[in-house]
Amino acid sequence: MARNRFGRLALLAFGFWIPAVGAVCLGQENSVLTATRPRHVLRFITFDEIVPTNSELNTSRVIENIPAKYHKRYLKWRNDYLSTEAGRSQWNRYALDPNFTLTVTVSKELAEGAVVDTFQWVENGRLTAATMRLGNKLDSGYPSSFNYPITCSLAPGNLPPEVKGTILAATKIAHEFGHLDRTMAMDGRMYELQNRLMLEYNRIFDSNDRDVRDPHLLELASQMDGTPISIKQDRECWAEVGALFYLQERLAKNRKMKMPEPIREAIEAYSLTYPGRLE
């Protein structure tokens, strides 16, 4: 379910949503070309050259359903993400897992945003499949600092023009993999319980003059271990771990580009605020 990430919470999936875009409904692309097979060889490239690796020989379980008109830009974003060890490690966690299927798509409806949804669970709460939906303008648009303390540091002017769009898009992809990592670590039964109760919480909240002291709301918050706002913020901030590891490595490897001060400060602040998440 797509939704405005900065409006009232009623979520069943998580990812970037840029305020200027507004809420939309996801549709299906009519034209799908290349990279549509569930198993294919991946090529990891550095910033300016192709470097063959043993990983090219691995079989991937990532299904990349990318419309032909978006294929070139998608490869540019994906390959920049995979140019880091952090990116390859996250990708291969799902690409090489025989018990998990990840589908990646690009959609004009999401524009500058992205989302992970369509989760599939088995009875014991283990995640077995998910879909990562990327907007066709992923290389533009910046989220707020409230839930995205790392990604927001890529605001205009903080990166050289020749790389800022690509790095921004790759950072959003890293953030979505952060969501996937966090969701994989959760018991799916609790995750779905939270999503269901958040909808009920919001329904009551809208009908009781927004009184958070309502006994029904307090009971719901106890059952789902938080309020919709706190759960949203926790999930988004957890996902920023993926963005942090990608940026830390991506900017450190480029000797021609010193890590911008706002990005360095954002990484340091996150590390101090959530030290246990980076271990």
Side-chain angles (χ1 to χ4, degrees), residues 108-170:
K108 68 178 181 180
E109 284 80 10
L110 284 174
E112 299 165 346
V115 67
V116 177
D117 60 7
T118 322
F119 297 114
Q120 296 181 29
W121 318 82
V122 291
E123 290 184 0
N124 65 0
R126 179 173 60 83
L127 187 63
T128 59
T131 298
M132 183 179 297
R133 306 177 192 274
L134 309 175
N136 67 327
K137 298 179 180 179
L138 202 64
D139 53 0
S140 61
Y142 303 85
S144 71
S145 61
F146 183 68
N147 288 334
Y148 314 98
I150 301 299
T151 308
C152 77
S153 68
L154 301 180
N158 291 349
L159 285 173
E162 65 271 18
V163 297
K164 68 176 183 179
T166 301
I167 290 180
L168 175 62

Side-chain angles (χ1 to χ4, degrees), residues 19-70:
V21 177
V24 299
C25 294
L26 291 178
Q28 293 184 345
E29 298 289 347
N30 294 323
S31 173
V32 177
L33 181 67
T34 75
T36 58
R37 294 172 296 170
R39 296 174 174 81
H40 61 277
V41 175
L42 294 177
R43 173 164 290 175
F44 302 139
I45 66 170
T46 61
F47 313 124
D48 54 6
E49 63 179 337
I50 295 175
V51 179
T53 72
N54 291 333
S55 296
E56 291 183 335
L57 303 178
N58 291 326
T59 298
S60 173
R61 288 183 58 84
V62 176
I63 302 172
E64 297 173 282
N65 287 332
I66 313 299
K69 58 185 176 181
Y70 302 137

Side-chain angles (χ1 to χ4, degrees), residues 5 35 60 70 81 95 139 144 178 191 197 210 222 224 229 233 241 250:
R5 296 169 65 92
S60 173
Y70 302 137
Y81 173 61
D139 53 0
S144 71
Y191 188 91
L197 294 184
R210 300 178 180 267
S222 176
M224 60 184 176
I229 290 178
Q233 185 176 34
V241 172
R250 175 63 169 88

Side-chain angles (χ1 to χ4, degrees), residues 48-278:
D48 54 6
E49 63 179 337
I50 295 175
V51 179
T53 72
N54 291 333
S55 296
E56 291 183 335
L57 303 178
N58 291 326
T59 298
S60 173
R61 288 183 58 84
V62 176
I63 302 172
E64 297 173 282
N65 287 332
I66 313 299
K69 58 185 176 181
Y70 302 137
H71 192 241
K72 183 177 180 180
R73 72 184 72 174
Y74 167 73
L75 287 179
K76 183 178 181 180
W77 303 338
R78 186 202 70 174
N79 286 336
D80 195 275
Y81 173 61
L82 294 177
S83 71
T84 64
E85 180 59 34
R88 292 192 295 273
S89 177
Q90 280 186 308
W91 181 281
N92 282 335
R93 178 182 180 185
Y94 303 100
L96 306 180
D97 184 348
N99 299 311
F100 187 85
T101 300
L102 173 63
T103 301
V104 182
T105 68
V106 175
S107 167
K108 68 178 181 180
E109 284 80 10
L110 284 174
E112 299 165 346
V115 67
V116 177
D117 60 7
T118 322
F119 297 114
Q120 296 181 29
W121 318 82
V122 291
E123 290 184 0
N124 65 0
R126 179 173 60 83
L127 187 63
T128 59
T131 298
M132 183 179 297
R133 306 177 192 274
L134 309 175
N136 67 327
K137 298 179 180 179
L138 202 64
D139 53 0
S140 61
Y142 303 85
S144 71
S145 61
F146 183 68
N147 288 334
Y148 314 98
I150 301 299
T151 308
C152 77
S153 68
L154 301 180
N158 291 349
L159 285 173
E162 65 271 18
V163 297
K164 68 176 183 179
T166 301
I167 290 180
L168 175 62
T171 300
K172 292 179 181 179
I173 292 174
H175 176 95
E176 297 310 315
F177 271 100
H179 272 301
L180 198 51
D181 287 347
R182 181 59 176 166
T183 307
M184 179 70 83
M186 293 182 64
D187 186 318
R189 291 164 294 190
M190 180 59 178
Y191 188 91
E192 292 190 322
L193 175 67
Q194 287 180 331
N195 287 345
R196 186 173 69 254
L197 294 184
M198 283 192 287
L199 295 176
E200 178 65 11
Y201 186 106
N202 285 333
R203 185 189 67 77
I204 296 174
F205 184 69
D206 283 344
S207 63
N208 74 348
D209 294 327
R210 300 178 180 267
D211 182 7
V212 295
R213 297 167 297 179
D214 186 307
H216 293 93
L217 295 184
L218 294 175
E219 174 60 27
L220 288 174
S222 176
Q223 292 181 44
M224 60 184 176
D225 196 25
T227 65
I229 290 178
S230 68
I231 292 171
K232 170 184 170 62
Q233 185 176 34
D234 182 69
R235 290 181 180 182
E236 297 297 348
C237 286
W238 261 108
E240 286 287 78
V241 172
L244 185 152
F245 284 142
Y246 160 75
L247 283 174
Q248 204 167 37
E249 183 181 351
R250 175 63 169 88
L251 298 180
K253 289 177 66 174
N254 192 338
R255 297 180 180 179
K256 299 179 180 179
M257 180 174 60
K258 181 180 179 181
M259 180 176 290
E261 192 68 14
I263 300 175
R264 183 186 63 78
E265 291 177 351
I267 291 175
E268 291 179 352
Y270 188 97
S271 301
L272 290 174
T273 305
Y274 308 106
R277 299 184 180 185
L278 305 181

